[in-house]
């Protein structure tokens, strides 16, 4: 029997999540592709490809085809999505695939159409595109359909999306292409400058997760890292402290906090009063950086809470769009984009 399959996709710079109607989140993979440069054949996607970063021979390249929330390599992104969609629909006999996908609030029409085109190339027959902060707010369970202001800050790998939402629409929003990847790059740059040591993206990410923080904390730690000495080219070990990592990330963290403060400054007074009461909700993987929620609270004097499942909120929001009787119709008509 042939039928239409509905899926929601959170196409993130760092990770891609796929939600299948009736089954929940069925795929959660890094947004990485490894391909053979000799014939452009895809060798691996997702976790398998991420393990290859920095470890491939010259004939194989492992890349992240999205940068700052938008498509940087069209064909590689299409190949990745095709693999992910095929995996999601494994064992099904289908005639059509309907996809709901999210994009950063600040994307251009050209970037939005690139997302549509890449999904069509990957096999989708019908595409709805909605903005990430709206999906994140719905997925976090905020009362977005009420005449009450609620504020969401979705801090992912490539972008930070901040929005104030009321009556099912975005009232004001800020989108900056600064987020978790920039924290990693800041750590790489700091270690290179201070210790003349070159480390890779995966090492920087691990340092951030293990000892990174936005504020000082009890029992601060150190971690031993390995890299290549830029002076003699030989392998070298060093020990780096959480204080150093915090210093390395401070400028990037400040950009994220300033984006939230700027959004608050542009919020109408009545909605600001609502936010003082309900607070700011954080979603996205980078929202879990130790001490970040507390720093935002200190800088804004607002209650701040991290959503229950911050990494899943965006894809959970797309899932609501797939449900019968959903309340997205007016939103999609006014702000979203629908392509066939």
């Amino acid at each position: 029997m042939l039928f239409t399959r509905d899926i929601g996709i959170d196409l993130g710079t760092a990770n891609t999540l796929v939600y299948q109607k009736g089954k929940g989140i069925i795929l959660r993979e890094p947004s990485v592709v490894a391909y053979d440069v000799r014939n452009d054949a895809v060798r691996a996607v997702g976790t398998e490809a991420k393990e290859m970063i920095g470890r491939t021979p010259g004939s194989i390249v492992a890349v992240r085809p999205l940068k700052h929330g938008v498509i940087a390599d069209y064909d590689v992104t299409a190949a990745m999505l095709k693999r992910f969609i095929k995996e999601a629909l494994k064992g099904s006999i289908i005639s059509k695939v309907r996809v709901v996908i999210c994009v950063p609030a600040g994307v251009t029409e050209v970037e939005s159409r690139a997302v549509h085109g890449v999904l069509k190339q990957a096999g989708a027959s019908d595409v709805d595109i909605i903005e990430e902060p709206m999906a994140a707010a719905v997925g976090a369970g905020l009362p977005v359909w009420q005449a009450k202001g609620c504020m969401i800050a979705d801090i992912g790998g490539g972008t930070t999306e901040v929005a104030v939402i009321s009556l099912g629409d975005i009232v004001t929003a800020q989108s900056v292409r600064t987020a978790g990847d920039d924290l990693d790059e800041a750590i790489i740059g700091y270690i290179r400058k201070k210790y003349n040591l070159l480390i890779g993206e995966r090492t920087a990410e691990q340092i951030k997760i293990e000892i990174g923080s936005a504020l000082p904390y009890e029992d601060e730690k150190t971690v031993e890292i390995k890299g290549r000495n830029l002076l003699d080219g030989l392998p070298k070990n060093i020990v780096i402290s959480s204080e150093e990592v915090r210093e390395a990330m401070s400028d990037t963290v400040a950009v994220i906090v300033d984006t939230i403060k700027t959004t608050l400054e542009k919020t109408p007074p009545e909605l600001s009063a609502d936010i003082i009461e309900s607070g700011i909700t954080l979603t996205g993987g980078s929202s879990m950086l130790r001490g970040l929620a507390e720093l935002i609270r200190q800088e804004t004097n607002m209650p701040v809470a991290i959503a229950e499942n911050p990494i899943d909120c965006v894809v959970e929001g797309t899932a609501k769009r797939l449900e019968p009787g959903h309340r997205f119709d007016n939103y999609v008509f006014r702000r979203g984009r629908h392509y066939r």
Side-chain angles (χ1 to χ4, degrees):
M1 179 180 178
L2 299 177
F3 56 91
T4 300
R5 181 60 55 83
D6 292 344
I7 62 174
I9 298 178
D10 173 11
L11 182 61
T13 304
N15 296 287
T16 296
L17 282 71
V18 178
Y19 183 103
Q20 184 175 315
K21 185 178 177 181
K23 290 188 177 181
I25 298 172
I26 58 171
L27 188 144
R28 189 192 303 269
E29 294 278 356
S31 302
V32 183
V33 178
Y35 65 94
D36 193 321
V37 297
R38 293 169 298 190
N39 55 15
D40 288 335
V42 174
R43 293 288 296 269
V45 298
T47 302
E48 185 182 355
K50 186 175 181 179
E51 292 296 324
M52 296 181 182
I53 291 178
R55 295 186 170 123
T56 58
S59 60
I60 298 175
V61 178
V63 297
R64 296 170 63 179
L66 291 107
K67 300 292 183 185
H68 301 296
V70 297
I71 295 169
D73 191 315
Y74 189 93
D75 291 333
V76 174
T77 304
M80 180 182 74
L81 282 172
K82 191 170 185 177
R83 285 280 190 99
F84 287 160
I85 291 173
K86 183 179 179 182
E87 180 68 23
L89 303 178
K90 190 163 55 179
S92 300
I93 302 173
I94 60 170
S95 58
K96 293 182 178 180
V97 181
R98 176 184 173 225
V99 175
V100 178
I101 193 167
C102 296
V103 295
V107 300
T108 65
E109 181 65 22
V110 170
E111 290 166 338
S112 181
R113 286 197 171 275
V115 172
H116 165 255
V118 84
L119 278 167
K120 296 290 282 188
Q121 187 173 328
S125 57
D126 198 11
V127 180
D128 272 353
I129 297 178
I130 57 178
E131 289 161 313
E132 280 179 18
M134 186 67 181
V138 172
L142 299 186
V144 298
W145 312 112
Q146 299 178 15
K148 180 180 181 181
C150 50
M151 187 169 187
I152 190 84
D154 183 52
I155 310 167
T159 61
T160 295
E161 308 280 322
V162 186
V164 174
I165 301 168
S166 179
L167 286 170
D169 207 350
I170 294 175
V171 178
T172 184
Q174 295 286 315
S175 177
V176 293
R177 297 182 179 186
T178 302
D181 286 353
D182 299 275
L183 296 173
D184 298 342
E185 290 171 11
I187 293 169
I188 292 171
Y190 179 91
I191 292 172
R192 180 172 186 155
K193 184 176 181 180
K194 183 171 182 179
Y195 294 102
N196 286 310
L197 187 75
L198 184 63
I199 62 170
E201 293 176 14
R202 295 178 65 226
T203 300
E205 183 182 26
Q206 195 60 37
I207 293 169
K208 177 183 68 179
I209 292 169
E210 287 187 17
I211 64 172
S213 69
L215 288 173
Y217 60 96
E218 290 185 11
D219 302 322
E220 298 213 33
K221 303 173 184 177
T222 60
V223 66
E224 184 179 47
I225 56 174
K226 301 175 178 64
R228 177 162 58 86
N229 190 331
L230 291 170
L231 299 179
D232 57 20
L234 298 176
K236 179 182 176 183
N237 292 5
I238 65 164
V239 174
I240 188 168
S241 69
S242 53
E243 292 93 336
E244 291 176 291
V245 177
R246 187 164 54 251
E247 178 187 344
M249 299 190 300
S250 60
D251 288 346
T252 303
V253 169
V255 172
I256 294 170
V257 174
D258 286 346
T259 302
I260 294 172
K261 292 167 72 175
T262 300
T263 308
L264 283 168
E265 290 167 4
K266 295 182 177 181
T267 302
E270 292 80 3
L271 297 182
S272 294
D274 292 336
I275 296 166
I276 290 172
E277 181 182 341
S278 61
I280 303 166
T281 300
L282 306 184
T283 62
S286 298
S287 69
M288 296 185 291
L289 176 69
R290 187 186 286 106
L292 181 58
E294 176 60 21
L295 177 63
I296 295 169
R297 186 195 67 77
Q298 291 178 10
E299 292 290 326
T300 61
N301 292 315
M302 298 279 187
V304 179
I306 301 174
E308 186 176 348
N309 296 301
I311 297 176
D312 298 348
C313 287
V314 170
V315 78
E316 292 282 0
T318 67
K320 298 294 184 184
R321 174 79 179 97
L322 298 171
E323 292 179 0
H326 62 76
R327 304 177 70 178
F328 266 101
D329 281 337
N330 290 336
Y331 166 80
V332 172
F333 177 74
R334 290 195 305 270
R335 298 184 63 92
R337 303 171 177 91
H338 183 81
Y339 302 109
R340 292 186 184 274

